[in-house]
Amino acid sequence: MEEQDQMQSSIEVEEVEEQQREGKRLEEENVVRFLDSLDSYVTLLDSLSSTLRQGWLELASARQSMGASRINGALLDLKSHSAATSLQVTHHDDEILNQPHFTLCKWASSKNGYGDEKLRENKLQTNSDGPQLRHRSQFAEKIPETKGAPLIVDDQVQKERTKSLSMFGTLVSPKLRAAQLSFETALETLVEIANVRLTMLSTSDQVRKELEGTEG
Amino acid sequence: MYGFEALTFNVHAGYLEAIVRGHRAGLLTAADYNNLCQCETLDDIKMHLSATEYGPYLQNEPSPLHTTTIVEKCTLKLVEDYKHMLCQATEPLSTFLEYITYGHMIDNVVLIVTGTLHERDVHELLEKCHPLGMFDSIATLAVAQNMRELYRLVLVDTPLAPYFSECITSEDLDDMNIEIMRNTLYKAYLEDFYRFCRKLGGATAEIMSDLLSFEADRRAVNITINSIGTELTRDDRKKLYSNFGLLYPYGHEELAICEDIDQVRGVMEKYPPYQSIFSKLSYGESQMLDKAFYEEEVKRLCLAFEQQFHYGVFFAYMRLREQEIRNLMWISECVAQNQKSRVHDSVVFIF
């Protein structure tokens, strides 16, 4: 009888210790996730800064090449037209990603019924074109799988790019096209920054709650 | 080789040739550019320019300065020099000086038409026009719906009227038509200017033929490179090339079918004067092509001053001053964007 009581209490002690270990593991996981997202955030901010600097210099170089009368703010089109690029906000309901997610829908044209394909393609591009994010541990977030759109930029996207540059003329310098690509990359980086910031704030909240719970 | 210009040139144009040679002496030197490239702010640039001929134009500008302000004020200096020479000139020098500004006139026409198509305010567009290309009825361009109206309402009374014969259609103005109009006008203008200089004869014909041929060839290369990957067909591309120059006609045939920068290089390297330009570029690269062309142009423009008694010095001075303003624009942009390491990417030294 006493032996049974002793075994029962030792099992309960083991269960409590196991729960404590599990809790500790989860806390560490959250801290690592927070540090990962913070590192990604800083890396992306640096990448955005350098991409924008490159874009502005390429624009100045294009102005130097084509002339100030061909590249200036007075030529921007004020006619109403649909946006070539839009931002979509989706909500994830799973345990890990319980937060909104931003996705860039580049060069989507409602006339072509083209938006959904581009949404998937651009999600892949947004995830693959950004700087390589370092993950300190195996507790990194899993990127949701997509249905497999091709990663190559097709003629339609090239036509949309040319169409948006046409306000400066049809025959534009390669420097202006390079500037366009730089600003496009910067836009993708901005969306990535928004997503990483959301993750960072979410994991920061979780870590703070756990710390407060521990202190309490 | 030439006519007897030495006997008669100074009667009508001696004073102005002396004036333009004096202006040439005021162009910025390598030492000036080295000082400018080390500036930390646009106010530093203004301070360095205060010791040059641009000083009086910038001294009253308040801080903070903008790069467009520096370019605008330096352009005023060019415009004043030009207007002084024009009002002192007699025929045929006055017509020659007017020809120099027709390129800016074409740019201004296209700016107004494009801006109007994009529903911009005409007053805002007029502020962006180059002062050398202004004419009285330029604001009326905003009411034209197609090229026929453009010609009938406005351009028939301007020096650009003869260049419109190939452009007049009733098609509505859109981005592609405007681009074709721009290049067709510029082609007609260059050919007309070339014919005028040949008619003048003597040293003017010799020197200006070389300078305008280089301009035509450079335009052909730029049109080719800029049209790669666009909807412009090979035939349309070939129609935009001028009918003179070193590349005419066989070089144009080959350029018309080029699909990438390496094919353009292959065509141009067959012509010895352009081998040195393309030898500075690595394969597949076109970023430094503009600078290479500008350097070659500056070399030819400086050589124009080695001879006397011709009108080429006036053209050369105007172009050198424009190059100087481009240099100042680039230096200002690099300083304003805190990218001084890239300042030598596009600065072309004149002396």
Side-chain angles (χ1 to χ4, degrees):
Chain A
M1 188 71 173
E2 283 181 4
E3 282 179 6
Q4 277 183 351
D5 287 341
Q6 278 178 356
M7 277 177 67
Q8 187 71 22
S9 61
S10 67
I11 288 170
E12 283 172 3
V13 163
E14 278 178 15
E15 280 178 2
V16 166
E17 283 176 358
E18 184 60 35
Q19 280 176 3
Q20 283 178 347
R21 274 198 296 272
E22 183 64 23
K24 192 96 179 139
R25 192 182 67 81
L26 283 173
E27 280 178 19
E28 287 174 358
E29 189 179 317
N30 283 333
V31 168
V32 167
R33 197 177 289 128
F34 169 71
L35 289 173
D36 271 343
S37 57
L38 182 62
D39 180 53
S40 308
Y41 183 71
V42 170
T43 306
L44 285 170
L45 280 179
D46 185 58
S47 169
L48 176 68
S49 171
S50 66
T51 307
L52 282 175
R53 274 167 64 83
Q54 185 182 329
W56 283 119
L57 195 70
E58 282 163 349
L59 187 61
S61 184
R63 206 152 177 260
Q64 172 93 341
S65 169
M66 293 169 63
S69 67
R70 290 197 63 185
I71 304 203
N72 64 73
L75 290 172
L76 296 175
D77 198 343
L78 289 184
K79 283 191 291 197
S80 57
H81 52 275
S82 57
T85 297
S86 57
L87 185 69
Q88 297 210 347
V89 183
T90 49
H91 287 269
H92 293 279
D93 293 327
D94 58 6
E95 290 179 4
I96 298 172
L97 300 173
N98 188 20
Q99 63 194 23
H101 186 80
F102 300 110
T103 312
L104 200 61
C105 193
K106 283 196 316 182
W107 309 119
S109 169
S110 56
K111 286 181 195 173
N112 297 332
Y114 195 55
D116 291 338
E117 286 178 23
K118 277 291 114 187
L119 170 63
R120 285 197 293 275
E121 180 185 316
N122 291 321
K123 244 173 131 172
L124 279 172
Q125 279 190 335
T126 304
N127 287 333
S128 65
D129 290 351
Q132 295 299 316
L133 307 177
R134 296 204 307 269
H135 296 289
R136 288 196 175 79
S137 73
Q138 70 271 27
F139 302 130
E141 288 176 16
K142 287 183 185 172
I143 299 170
E145 289 180 0
T146 59
K147 286 185 182 176
L151 294 178
I152 55 170
V153 176
D154 58 7
D155 288 341
Q156 190 62 34
V157 170
Q158 202 52 42
K159 279 182 187 159
E160 293 286 335
R161 285 198 177 112
T162 307
K163 188 177 154 194
S164 71
L165 274 188
S166 63
M167 69 180 82
F168 299 116
T170 317
L171 302 181
V172 296
S173 164
K175 294 175 183 177
L176 190 63
R177 297 186 205 278
Q180 183 187 40
L181 280 176
S182 293
F183 288 124
E184 201 177 309
T185 306
L187 192 57
E188 289 166 13
T189 309
L190 269 172
V191 171
E192 264 192 84
I193 287 174
N195 285 326
V196 166
R197 187 179 163 86
L198 277 174
T199 306
M200 188 177 73
L201 290 173
S202 161
T203 50
S204 163
D205 282 341
Q206 283 175 4
V207 169
R208 196 168 40 249
K209 277 179 195 163
E210 279 161 11
L211 284 174
E212 284 167 2
T214 310
E215 284 168 9
Chain B
M1 192 172 162
Y2 302 137
F4 295 95
E5 292 101 353
L7 294 177
T8 55
F9 186 88
N10 282 347
V11 173
H12 295 291
Y15 166 68
L16 284 176
E17 183 176 350
I19 290 287
V20 83
R21 285 182 185 272
H23 286 323
R24 175 192 176 266
L27 289 169
L28 299 179
T29 61
D32 291 320
Y33 284 120
N34 285 334
N35 289 337
L36 288 167
C37 291
Q38 288 170 16
C39 291
E40 294 288 332
T41 63
L42 295 181
D43 285 322
D44 287 346
I45 290 179
K46 176 182 159 186
M47 187 188 69
H48 279 101
L49 289 178
S50 64
T52 68
E53 292 187 356
Y54 296 113
Y57 299 89
L58 282 169
Q59 65 187 7
N60 294 327
E61 289 306 308
S63 294
L65 276 178
H66 197 270
T67 55
T68 50
T69 310
I70 294 177
V71 171
E72 206 179 289
K73 296 305 169 189
C74 293
T75 305
L76 282 183
K77 153 80 180 154
L78 170 67
V79 172
E80 278 198 18
D81 289 349
Y82 172 80
K83 284 184 174 167
H84 172 72
M85 291 191 292
L86 184 65
C87 74
Q88 298 282 337
T90 58
E91 285 292 343
L93 178 57
S94 54
T95 301
F96 181 90
L97 289 173
E98 283 169 0
Y99 264 107
I100 296 174
T101 64
Y102 292 170
H104 293 298
M105 219 177 271
I106 292 169
D107 287 340
N108 287 350
V109 166
V110 173
L111 173 66
I112 301 280
V113 168
T114 306
T116 306
L117 191 70
H118 296 160
E119 297 185 1
R120 304 301 299 232
D121 181 47
V122 70
H123 295 104
E124 188 186 2
L125 296 169
L126 287 173
E127 283 173 14
K128 299 287 182 184
C129 288
H130 197 288
L132 283 178
M134 296 299 276
F135 52 93
D136 289 337
S137 51
I138 191 170
T140 323
L141 286 168
V143 305
Q145 297 294 322
N146 55 51
M147 291 187 214
R148 201 175 291 278
E149 283 184 13
L150 208 62
Y151 175 76
R152 190 173 58 83
L153 293 175
V154 186
L155 296 171
V156 66
D157 294 322
T158 67
L160 301 181
Y163 308 144
F164 253 78
S165 58
E166 291 180 41
C167 296
I168 298 179
T169 65
S170 296
E171 284 181 32
D172 281 347
L173 294 164
D174 62 21
D175 291 322
M176 180 54 97
N177 289 344
I178 290 173
E179 189 70 44
I180 291 178
M181 179 182 79
R182 181 210 309 273
N183 287 286
T184 308
L185 283 178
Y186 209 90
K187 171 190 169 181
Y189 151 62
L190 267 188
E191 288 173 358
D192 189 35
F193 194 8
Y194 183 79
R195 278 192 299 269
F196 175 77
C197 292
R198 294 299 303 179
K199 217 163 55 171
L200 289 174
T204 301
E206 192 74 24
I207 290 164
M208 284 305 298
S209 293
D210 176 64
L211 294 174
L212 291 177
S213 294
F214 179 79
E215 177 69 20
D217 291 341
R218 179 173 62 180
R219 275 197 71 251
V221 171
N222 284 335
I223 286 169
T224 307
I225 291 174
N226 293 347
S227 61
I228 289 171
T230 67
E231 292 172 354
L232 196 70
T233 62
R234 290 175 177 180
D235 288 336
D236 284 342
R237 185 197 281 180
K238 199 170 150 202
K239 282 182 196 165
L240 301 180
Y241 299 149
S242 300
N243 294 330
F244 69 99
L246 190 61
L247 296 177
Y248 174 77
Y250 305 112
H252 290 172
E253 296 284 343
E254 293 183 65
L255 279 178
I257 59 175
C258 287
E259 298 293 336
D260 59 48
I261 184 70
D262 289 329
Q263 289 179 12
V264 172
R265 170 197 282 271
V267 171
M268 299 301 287
E269 282 181 338
K270 294 175 192 169
Y271 296 87
Y274 301 123
Q275 274 177 354
S276 61
I277 292 175
F278 282 83
S279 65
K280 295 178 191 174
L281 309 176
S282 46
Y283 280 92
E285 184 231 338
S286 66
Q287 298 292 328
M288 302 305 286
L289 182 61
D290 284 328
K291 185 179 178 188
F293 268 120
Y294 283 138
E295 284 174 343
E296 178 65 23
E297 184 189 24
V298 161
K299 212 185 307 180
R300 293 177 186 224
L301 293 170
C302 289
L303 281 176
F305 285 92
E306 299 300 312
Q307 288 189 50
Q308 275 187 280
F309 313 127
H310 64 90
Y311 295 160
V313 290
F314 299 99
F315 179 82
Y317 168 68
M318 297 292 290
R319 284 299 173 93
L320 286 173
R321 199 50 101 170
E322 284 171 5
Q323 178 61 48
E324 189 171 89
I325 291 171
R326 270 197 294 275
N327 287 343
L328 290 173
M329 179 170 80
W330 180 252
I331 293 171
S332 304
E333 285 286 348
C334 287
V335 167
Q337 293 183 28
N338 199 19
Q339 302 232 40
K340 279 166 47 180
S341 58
R342 303 288 299 274
V343 75
H344 290 289
D345 284 2
S346 291
V347 171
V348 177
F349 293 113
I350 296 172
F351 300 118

